[in-house]
Amino acid sequence: MVDYHAANQSYQYGPSSGGNGAGGGGSMGDYMAQEDDWDRDLLLDPAWEKQQRKTFTAWCNSHLRKAGTQIENIDEDFRDGLKLMLLLEVISGERLPKPERGKMRVHKINNVNKALDFIASKGVKLVSIGAEEIVDGNAKMTLGMIWTIILRFAIQDISVEETSAKEGLLLWCQRKTAPYKNVNVQNFHISWKDGLAFNALIHRHRPELIEYDKLRKDDPVTNLNNAFEVAEKYLDIPKMLDAEDIVGTLRPDEKAIMTYVSCFYHAFSGAQKAETAANRICKVLAVNQENEHLMEDYERLASDLLEWIRRTIPWLEDRVPQKTIQEMQQKLEDFRDYRRVHKPPKVQEKCQLEINFNTLQTKLRLSNRPAFMPSEGRMVSDINNCWQHLEQAEKGYEEWLLNEIRRLERLDHLAEKFRQKASIHEAWTDGKEAMLKHRDYETATLSDIKALIRKHEAFESDLAAHQDRVEQIAAIAQELNELDYYDSHNVNTRCQKICDQWDALGSLTHSRREALEKTEKQLETIDQLHLEYAKRAAPFNNWMESAMEDLQDMFIVHTIEEIEGLISAHDQFKSTLPDADREREAILAIHKEAQRIAESNHIKLSGSNPYTTVTPQIINSKWEKVQQLVPKRDHALLEEQSKQQSNEHLRRQFASQANIVGPWIQTKMEEIGRISIEMNGTLEDQLSHLKQYERSIVDYKPNLDLLEQQHQLIQEALIFDNKHTNYTMEHIRVGWEQLLTTIARTINEVENQILTRDAKGISQEQMQEFRASFNHFDKKQTGSMDPDDFRALLISTGYSLGDAEFNRIMSVVDPNHSGLVTFQAFIDFMSRETTDTDTADQVIASFKVLAGDKNFITAEELRRELPPDQAEYCIARMAPYQGSDAVPGALDYKSFSTALYGESDL
C-alpha cells in the first residue's frame, strides 16, 4: 500500500473527463449524467444530507477498515486525497498512481485529481464535481463524489433479468420480498420506512436470524433496529443509519437507502447461483405453460368449429320443399343471412386456427419440445375435410332453393290458370245436362221441331268449340301433377268431374240428336236467317270469350325477349280486330234482316231466336268488354316490359362489377403466389410488405359489399340467369375467402420465420441463403418440395446422406408423412442443426442447484426459489422421488425435466 501524503494544487474536474477503464461502461456515465447530476447551485435537504453523511461514512469505513484505517468526517478526511485514493484501491483491487508528497493545496488537488481520473477511467462521467470543491471541503460535492463511487463499484454491476443498476437492484428486492405480507417494495424511500423490507431480505436468506411473524407494521423503529443490529452482528454489514433518521423523515434519502440495500445484496450474493438456476427453470416452465395454454385453446376452438359445422351441414342438406313461395323465400333469406352473417366469422376462425396451430408447432420446435398432436378428430386435416363437406352441402343448396322457387311460381301460375279455365267451362256447362235431357220435342209443332233441330246443331257447334278448353284443362292438371303441386288432389278431383261431365254431355248430345232426327222429316219450315245468325253468332261469341280469356290471361316472363314476344303477339291480335268488327256487324245485319222480313210479311215472332241464346245485346256487350280489355292488356304488357328492362339493367350492373372483381381476385391470388416464392429484403421488410398488401386487399372489401348488394337486388327481382358475365356471386365469395386465407397464411409463415430466426440467432444473410437454396430446388414453385428435390437441396448444402440419415431427417421435417417439405420445416431443421437451445440436461442441472446438490427437491424448496405460480406448477406435476436417499415429500425433478422435452412420460 502506498504512503499517501498531502499536496496542494488547484484542479477543476469537468464533464469532459471520462474513460473506458476496466469494468467501466458508457451506461453508468449516462445514468449519472441524466439522473444524479449534482447541481452546484442547489442545497441538499438537511435531513437527506444527514442520512447521506451517516450512510456514506459507514460504507467507506466498511472498506477502509480492510486497510486498517477509517474516517470520522466525510467532507474533511478526503480533502487531502490520500484516504480517497486508498478507498479506491481497496474497493477496486487496483493500484493507483503514487500520491504527491507535500501538504500544500496544489498537492492535495493533484491527489484528488488522480482519484477522479481513476473514477473516470472506469467509464463514469463526473458532472460538476471538481478537485477544488473536494479540497475545499464542499460537503455537497464530496457526498456526490462518494455516491458516484458507490454507484460504480457497489451497484452498477447488479443485473437481474437483463436490467442493471438501480432497476436491477429494485427488481432483486421485489423478487426476494414478494412472499412476505405487508411488504411492497416500489422504490428506495417510502417502501423501507416501516423496516419490514429490511427484515424480509434477511429472513429470505437467513430465516434463523429473524422471527418475521412477530414483527408489527405499526412499530417501525423496533423493526429497523432489529434488522440493522442483526445485519451488523451476523452479516458484517455496518450500521449505516439510525431508525429515528428514517422514521422521522417524511421521505428517506434514496441514495442512502440504495447504499444500505446494496450491502445486503452483496452479502447475499452467494445465493445468486441458485437464483440463476431458478431463472432458467422459470423460463423453461413459462414456455411449457404457454404451450399448454395454446394447446388447450386449439382444442377448444377446434371443438367449437367442428360442432358448428356438424350443426350446419344437416340444415344445408335439408332438401324438403315447402308448399308456398313465401316459405321458400324465407328459406332463401335464411341462407343469405348464413352467408353474410354466420359463415364469415367461421372462415376467420378456421384461418386463425391453422395459424395458431402452425405458431404452436414452431414454438414447440424452437424449445426442443415434441410436436403437438391434437386429439382424435381435431387435426387441421380433419377440420379441412369437414369444411369441404360443408361447402359441398352449401354449393347445391342455393341452386335448389332458386329452382324450387321457380317451380312454385310456375305451379301457382298454372293452378290459377286451371281455376280460371275450369270456372269458365263450369259456368258454360251449367244447365246443359238438363237442357239435353228435356223431351220438349214430343209436344212441339213442326216449326218448333225445326227450331229445336237448328238449336241443337248450334249447341253441337258450341260443344265442339269447348273441346279445346277441356283438353287445355286436362293438360294443365297433368302438368301440375308432374310438377308435384301440393293441392294436386283437389285439382285432379275437379278435372275428373269436368271430364266426366264432358263425356256425359257428349253422350246426351248424341242421344238428343237421334231423337230430333226421328221427327226431322216432319220439320220443313225453318227460319234460315235465324239459323245463319245462330251459326255465325256462336263461333263469334266463342271467339270473343276466348279473346277475353286471353286478354285476362296471366303471364310470367324472365327476359326482355319473352315480353317483347308477348307484345308482338298482342299487336298481331289487335290487327285482327277490324275484321272481327266487320264480322260482328254482319251477324247483327242478319238479325236485323230477319226482323225486317218478319215485319214486312206480318210474321209474329214468338220471343227470341229459337236457335241460339246469343242475342245481339250479348254480342255487343262482349264486344265492348273486348274493347275495354285491349288497353288494359297494353298497360300490363308495358309494365312488364319496363320491369324486364330494369332486370336487364341489374344484370348488366352486376356483370360490370363482377367482371372487374373476379379478375382482380384472380390476379391477387397469382401475385401472392409469386410473393411467397420470390421474397426479397429482410423478413421484417417482407412482413411489412405483406401486411401493406393485406391492407390493400382488405380496403378492396367495399367492392365486394357493393357486389353483394347488387346480387341481392337481382335475387329479390327473381333473376335466375345472366348472359353478360361468367362470374357468379358464389365464385366471387369463394375466391375472396381463399384470397384472405392465403395472405393470412403467407404472413404467418414470415412471422414464424422471424420467430425462428430470433430464437435461433439466424442472421439475415443466412435466412436469405436458405430462401435462395429452397427456391432453386422448388421446381414447381409451389412453396414445398417432394423428398427427391429435398435430398438434392441437402446435398447442395454439404450433407452426406445415406438412406438411414435421410429417413431420420424426413421424420423431422415431415412428421405427418405428407410427402412434402415446406420452407418453414426446412429452416427449422437448418436452425436446429446450427444453434443451441435449452436441453433437458441443463434443466436438470438447474434443479440440482436449487436442491443443494441432492437428487431430489422438496415442495418447500420450490416455493422458496421459484415464483408462486411456477412453483405450484412443478409440485403438481413432479412424481414422488423413489431413490434410497428419499425423505418425506421428496420430488423427482429428473423425470419431470426429461418429460418437458418429450423424452419420457410424467
Side-chain angles (χ1 to χ4, degrees), residues 278-311:
N279 287 338
R280 176 184 288 274
I281 293 173
C282 289
K283 177 182 175 183
V284 172
L285 293 178
V287 170
N288 217 58
Q289 289 172 307
E290 181 182 3
N291 291 340
E292 287 184 359
H293 289 316
L294 290 174
M295 293 175 190
E296 293 170 0
D297 289 343
Y298 175 89
E299 291 284 344
R300 176 179 55 78
L301 290 174
S303 298
D304 293 345
L305 183 58
L306 288 170
E307 179 60 26
W308 179 82
I309 293 173
R310 293 190 182 102
R311 291 198 314 267

Short mmCIF file of all heavy atoms in Angstrom, two decimals, residues 278-311:
data_model
loop_
_atom_site.label_atom_id
_atom_site.label_comp_id
_atom_site.label_asym_id
_atom_site.label_seq_id
_atom_site.Cartn_x
_atom_site.Cartn_y
_atom_site.Cartn_z
N ALA A 278 -32.77 -20.84 -10.75
CA ALA A 278 -34.23 -20.68 -10.68
C ALA A 278 -34.75 -19.93 -11.90
O ALA A 278 -35.82 -20.25 -12.44
CB ALA A 278 -34.61 -19.94 -9.39
N ASN A 279 -34.01 -18.91 -12.34
CA ASN A 279 -34.44 -18.16 -13.52
C ASN A 279 -34.51 -19.04 -14.75
O ASN A 279 -35.42 -18.93 -15.58
CB ASN A 279 -33.49 -16.98 -13.78
CG ASN A 279 -33.67 -15.87 -12.77
OD1 ASN A 279 -34.73 -15.77 -12.15
ND2 ASN A 279 -32.65 -15.04 -12.58
N ARG A 280 -33.50 -19.93 -14.92
CA ARG A 280 -33.53 -20.84 -16.06
C ARG A 280 -34.77 -21.74 -16.00
O ARG A 280 -35.47 -21.95 -17.00
CB ARG A 280 -32.26 -21.69 -16.08
CG ARG A 280 -32.26 -22.75 -17.20
CD ARG A 280 -31.05 -23.64 -17.14
NE ARG A 280 -29.85 -22.95 -17.56
CZ ARG A 280 -29.44 -22.83 -18.82
NH1 ARG A 280 -30.16 -23.36 -19.78
NH2 ARG A 280 -28.33 -22.19 -19.12
N ILE A 281 -35.04 -22.28 -14.80
CA ILE A 281 -36.21 -23.16 -14.66
C ILE A 281 -37.49 -22.39 -14.94
O ILE A 281 -38.40 -22.87 -15.62
CB ILE A 281 -36.22 -23.79 -13.26
CG1 ILE A 281 -35.03 -24.74 -13.10
CG2 ILE A 281 -37.54 -24.51 -13.00
CD1 ILE A 281 -34.85 -25.27 -11.69
N CYS A 282 -37.57 -21.15 -14.42
CA CYS A 282 -38.78 -20.34 -14.66
C CYS A 282 -39.00 -20.11 -16.14
O CYS A 282 -40.13 -20.16 -16.64
CB CYS A 282 -38.65 -18.99 -13.94
SG CYS A 282 -38.78 -19.11 -12.14
N LYS A 283 -37.88 -19.86 -16.84
CA LYS A 283 -38.01 -19.63 -18.28
C LYS A 283 -38.54 -20.87 -18.98
O LYS A 283 -39.46 -20.79 -19.82
CB LYS A 283 -36.62 -19.26 -18.83
CG LYS A 283 -36.60 -19.07 -20.35
CD LYS A 283 -35.18 -18.74 -20.81
CE LYS A 283 -35.13 -18.66 -22.34
NZ LYS A 283 -33.75 -18.41 -22.83
N VAL A 284 -37.97 -22.04 -18.64
CA VAL A 284 -38.43 -23.29 -19.27
C VAL A 284 -39.89 -23.57 -18.93
O VAL A 284 -40.70 -23.93 -19.78
CB VAL A 284 -37.53 -24.46 -18.84
CG1 VAL A 284 -38.10 -25.78 -19.33
CG2 VAL A 284 -36.12 -24.27 -19.38
N LEU A 285 -40.23 -23.38 -17.63
CA LEU A 285 -41.61 -23.66 -17.21
C LEU A 285 -42.58 -22.69 -17.88
O LEU A 285 -43.70 -23.07 -18.25
CB LEU A 285 -41.72 -23.55 -15.69
CG LEU A 285 -40.97 -24.61 -14.89
CD1 LEU A 285 -41.14 -24.36 -13.40
CD2 LEU A 285 -41.46 -26.01 -15.23
N ALA A 286 -42.17 -21.43 -18.03
CA ALA A 286 -43.05 -20.45 -18.67
C ALA A 286 -43.36 -20.87 -20.11
O ALA A 286 -44.49 -20.76 -20.58
CB ALA A 286 -42.40 -19.07 -18.64
N VAL A 287 -42.30 -21.35 -20.80
CA VAL A 287 -42.52 -21.83 -22.18
C VAL A 287 -43.50 -22.99 -22.18
O VAL A 287 -44.42 -23.05 -22.99
CB VAL A 287 -41.18 -22.24 -22.82
CG1 VAL A 287 -41.42 -22.96 -24.14
CG2 VAL A 287 -40.30 -21.02 -23.04
N ASN A 288 -43.31 -23.95 -21.23
CA ASN A 288 -44.18 -25.12 -21.19
C ASN A 288 -45.62 -24.73 -20.86
O ASN A 288 -46.58 -25.23 -21.46
CB ASN A 288 -43.66 -26.10 -20.16
CG ASN A 288 -43.84 -27.54 -20.60
OD1 ASN A 288 -43.34 -27.93 -21.65
ND2 ASN A 288 -44.59 -28.32 -19.84
N GLN A 289 -45.79 -23.80 -19.90
CA GLN A 289 -47.14 -23.37 -19.54
C GLN A 289 -47.83 -22.67 -20.71
O GLN A 289 -49.00 -22.91 -20.99
CB GLN A 289 -47.07 -22.43 -18.33
CG GLN A 289 -46.71 -23.14 -17.04
CD GLN A 289 -46.46 -22.15 -15.91
OE1 GLN A 289 -45.67 -21.24 -16.03
NE2 GLN A 289 -47.15 -22.34 -14.80
N GLU A 290 -47.07 -21.80 -21.37
CA GLU A 290 -47.66 -21.10 -22.53
C GLU A 290 -48.08 -22.09 -23.61
O GLU A 290 -49.16 -21.97 -24.20
CB GLU A 290 -46.65 -20.11 -23.10
CG GLU A 290 -47.20 -19.31 -24.29
CD GLU A 290 -46.17 -18.37 -24.88
OE1 GLU A 290 -45.02 -18.38 -24.40
OE2 GLU A 290 -46.52 -17.66 -25.82
N ASN A 291 -47.20 -23.10 -23.87
CA ASN A 291 -47.55 -24.10 -24.89
C ASN A 291 -48.79 -24.88 -24.49
O ASN A 291 -49.64 -25.19 -25.34
CB ASN A 291 -46.38 -25.04 -25.11
CG ASN A 291 -45.20 -24.36 -25.79
OD1 ASN A 291 -45.39 -23.31 -26.42
ND2 ASN A 291 -44.01 -24.91 -25.69
N GLU A 292 -48.90 -25.22 -23.20
CA GLU A 292 -50.10 -25.95 -22.76
C GLU A 292 -51.36 -25.11 -22.94
O GLU A 292 -52.41 -25.62 -23.35
CB GLU A 292 -49.94 -26.36 -21.30
CG GLU A 292 -48.96 -27.48 -21.09
CD GLU A 292 -48.88 -27.94 -19.63
OE1 GLU A 292 -49.58 -27.36 -18.78
OE2 GLU A 292 -48.12 -28.86 -19.36
N HIS A 293 -51.26 -23.80 -22.63
CA HIS A 293 -52.42 -22.92 -22.85
C HIS A 293 -52.79 -22.87 -24.33
O HIS A 293 -53.98 -22.91 -24.69
CB HIS A 293 -52.11 -21.51 -22.34
CG HIS A 293 -52.05 -21.40 -20.85
ND1 HIS A 293 -52.99 -21.99 -20.03
CD2 HIS A 293 -51.15 -20.78 -20.03
CE1 HIS A 293 -52.68 -21.73 -18.76
NE2 HIS A 293 -51.57 -21.01 -18.72
N LEU A 294 -51.77 -22.80 -25.20
CA LEU A 294 -52.04 -22.77 -26.64
C LEU A 294 -52.70 -24.07 -27.10
O LEU A 294 -53.59 -24.07 -27.94
CB LEU A 294 -50.74 -22.54 -27.41
CG LEU A 294 -50.12 -21.14 -27.29
CD1 LEU A 294 -48.76 -21.09 -27.99
CD2 LEU A 294 -51.05 -20.08 -27.89
N MET A 295 -52.24 -25.20 -26.55
CA MET A 295 -52.84 -26.48 -26.91
C MET A 295 -54.31 -26.53 -26.47
O MET A 295 -55.19 -26.98 -27.22
CB MET A 295 -52.07 -27.63 -26.26
CG MET A 295 -50.66 -27.81 -26.78
SD MET A 295 -49.77 -29.10 -25.85
CE MET A 295 -48.10 -28.86 -26.48
N GLU A 296 -54.57 -26.07 -25.22
CA GLU A 296 -55.95 -26.07 -24.73
C GLU A 296 -56.83 -25.15 -25.58
O GLU A 296 -57.98 -25.51 -25.91
CB GLU A 296 -55.97 -25.62 -23.27
CG GLU A 296 -55.31 -26.61 -22.32
CD GLU A 296 -55.12 -26.03 -20.92
OE1 GLU A 296 -55.50 -24.86 -20.70
OE2 GLU A 296 -54.60 -26.74 -20.06
N ASP A 297 -56.29 -23.97 -25.93
CA ASP A 297 -57.07 -23.05 -26.78
C ASP A 297 -57.35 -23.67 -28.13
O ASP A 297 -58.46 -23.54 -28.68
CB ASP A 297 -56.30 -21.73 -26.97
CG ASP A 297 -56.25 -20.91 -25.71
OD1 ASP A 297 -57.05 -21.19 -24.79
OD2 ASP A 297 -55.40 -20.00 -25.63
N TYR A 298 -56.35 -24.38 -28.71
CA TYR A 298 -56.58 -25.03 -30.01
C TYR A 298 -57.69 -26.08 -29.90
O TYR A 298 -58.60 -26.13 -30.75
CB TYR A 298 -55.28 -25.67 -30.50
CG TYR A 298 -55.47 -26.45 -31.79
CD1 TYR A 298 -55.34 -25.82 -33.02
CD2 TYR A 298 -55.83 -27.81 -31.78
CE1 TYR A 298 -55.55 -26.52 -34.20
CE2 TYR A 298 -56.03 -28.49 -32.94
CZ TYR A 298 -55.89 -27.87 -34.15
OH TYR A 298 -56.10 -28.55 -35.32
N GLU A 299 -57.60 -26.92 -28.88
CA GLU A 299 -58.62 -27.98 -28.72
C GLU A 299 -60.01 -27.37 -28.58
O GLU A 299 -60.98 -27.84 -29.19
CB GLU A 299 -58.29 -28.83 -27.49
CG GLU A 299 -57.04 -29.69 -27.62
CD GLU A 299 -57.26 -30.92 -28.48
OE1 GLU A 299 -58.43 -31.28 -28.74
OE2 GLU A 299 -56.29 -31.53 -28.90
N ARG A 300 -60.10 -26.29 -27.76
CA ARG A 300 -61.42 -25.67 -27.56
C ARG A 300 -61.95 -25.04 -28.85
O ARG A 300 -63.09 -25.26 -29.24
CB ARG A 300 -61.30 -24.60 -26.47
CG ARG A 300 -62.58 -23.81 -26.24
CD ARG A 300 -62.39 -22.79 -25.12
NE ARG A 300 -61.27 -21.92 -25.37
CZ ARG A 300 -61.31 -20.90 -26.22
NH1 ARG A 300 -62.41 -20.63 -26.89
NH2 ARG A 300 -60.24 -20.13 -26.40
N LEU A 301 -61.08 -24.28 -29.54
CA LEU A 301 -61.52 -23.64 -30.79
C LEU A 301 -61.87 -24.67 -31.85
O LEU A 301 -62.85 -24.51 -32.59
CB LEU A 301 -60.41 -22.71 -31.31
CG LEU A 301 -60.15 -21.45 -30.47
CD1 LEU A 301 -58.93 -20.71 -31.00
CD2 LEU A 301 -61.37 -20.54 -30.48
N ALA A 302 -61.05 -25.75 -31.95
CA ALA A 302 -61.33 -26.79 -32.94
C ALA A 302 -62.67 -27.48 -32.64
O ALA A 302 -63.46 -27.73 -33.55
CB ALA A 302 -60.19 -27.82 -32.96
N SER A 303 -62.92 -27.77 -31.35
CA SER A 303 -64.19 -28.41 -30.98
C SER A 303 -65.37 -27.52 -31.33
O SER A 303 -66.38 -27.99 -31.87
CB SER A 303 -64.19 -28.73 -29.48
OG SER A 303 -63.17 -29.64 -29.16
N ASP A 304 -65.27 -26.22 -31.01
CA ASP A 304 -66.38 -25.29 -31.30
C ASP A 304 -66.64 -25.21 -32.80
O ASP A 304 -67.79 -25.23 -33.25
CB ASP A 304 -66.05 -23.90 -30.76
CG ASP A 304 -66.02 -23.86 -29.24
OD1 ASP A 304 -66.51 -24.82 -28.61
OD2 ASP A 304 -65.50 -22.87 -28.69
N LEU A 305 -65.55 -25.13 -33.60
CA LEU A 305 -65.72 -25.00 -35.06
C LEU A 305 -66.33 -26.28 -35.64
O LEU A 305 -67.24 -26.22 -36.47
CB LEU A 305 -64.38 -24.70 -35.72
CG LEU A 305 -64.42 -24.47 -37.23
CD1 LEU A 305 -65.35 -23.32 -37.58
CD2 LEU A 305 -63.02 -24.19 -37.76
N LEU A 306 -65.82 -27.44 -35.19
CA LEU A 306 -66.37 -28.71 -35.69
C LEU A 306 -67.83 -28.87 -35.30
O LEU A 306 -68.65 -29.37 -36.09
CB LEU A 306 -65.54 -29.88 -35.15
CG LEU A 306 -64.13 -30.03 -35.76
CD1 LEU A 306 -63.34 -31.05 -34.98
CD2 LEU A 306 -64.25 -30.44 -37.23
N GLU A 307 -68.18 -28.46 -34.07
CA GLU A 307 -69.57 -28.56 -33.64
C GLU A 307 -70.47 -27.67 -34.49
O GLU A 307 -71.57 -28.08 -34.88
CB GLU A 307 -69.67 -28.14 -32.15
CG GLU A 307 -71.09 -28.19 -31.58
CD GLU A 307 -71.71 -29.55 -31.66
OE1 GLU A 307 -70.98 -30.56 -31.68
OE2 GLU A 307 -72.96 -29.64 -31.72
N TRP A 308 -69.99 -26.46 -34.81
CA TRP A 308 -70.78 -25.57 -35.68
C TRP A 308 -70.97 -26.18 -37.07
O TRP A 308 -72.06 -26.14 -37.64
CB TRP A 308 -70.08 -24.23 -35.79
CG TRP A 308 -70.80 -23.26 -36.69
CD1 TRP A 308 -71.86 -22.46 -36.39
CD2 TRP A 308 -70.50 -23.01 -38.08
NE1 TRP A 308 -72.25 -21.74 -37.49
CE2 TRP A 308 -71.44 -22.05 -38.54
CE3 TRP A 308 -69.57 -23.51 -38.97
CZ2 TRP A 308 -71.44 -21.58 -39.85
CZ3 TRP A 308 -69.56 -23.05 -40.28
CH2 TRP A 308 -70.48 -22.10 -40.71
N ILE A 309 -69.91 -26.79 -37.61
CA ILE A 309 -70.01 -27.42 -38.94
C ILE A 309 -71.00 -28.58 -38.89
O ILE A 309 -71.86 -28.74 -39.78
CB ILE A 309 -68.63 -27.90 -39.40
CG1 ILE A 309 -67.71 -26.70 -39.65
CG2 ILE A 309 -68.75 -28.75 -40.67
CD1 ILE A 309 -66.28 -27.08 -39.95
N ARG A 310 -70.93 -29.40 -37.81
CA ARG A 310 -71.83 -30.57 -37.72
C ARG A 310 -73.29 -30.13 -37.57
O ARG A 310 -74.21 -30.81 -38.02
CB ARG A 310 -71.42 -31.42 -36.53
CG ARG A 310 -70.05 -32.08 -36.72
CD ARG A 310 -69.77 -33.13 -35.63
NE ARG A 310 -68.46 -33.72 -35.77
CZ ARG A 310 -67.40 -33.39 -35.05
NH1 ARG A 310 -67.55 -32.50 -34.08
NH2 ARG A 310 -66.23 -33.95 -35.24
N ARG A 311 -73.51 -28.97 -36.90
CA ARG A 311 -74.88 -28.46 -36.79
C ARG A 311 -75.38 -27.88 -38.10
O ARG A 311 -76.57 -27.94 -38.41
CB ARG A 311 -74.96 -27.38 -35.70
CG ARG A 311 -74.78 -27.87 -34.30
CD ARG A 311 -75.31 -26.82 -33.29
NE ARG A 311 -74.87 -25.49 -33.61
CZ ARG A 311 -73.76 -24.92 -33.11
NH1 ARG A 311 -72.98 -25.62 -32.29
NH2 ARG A 311 -73.43 -23.68 -33.43
#
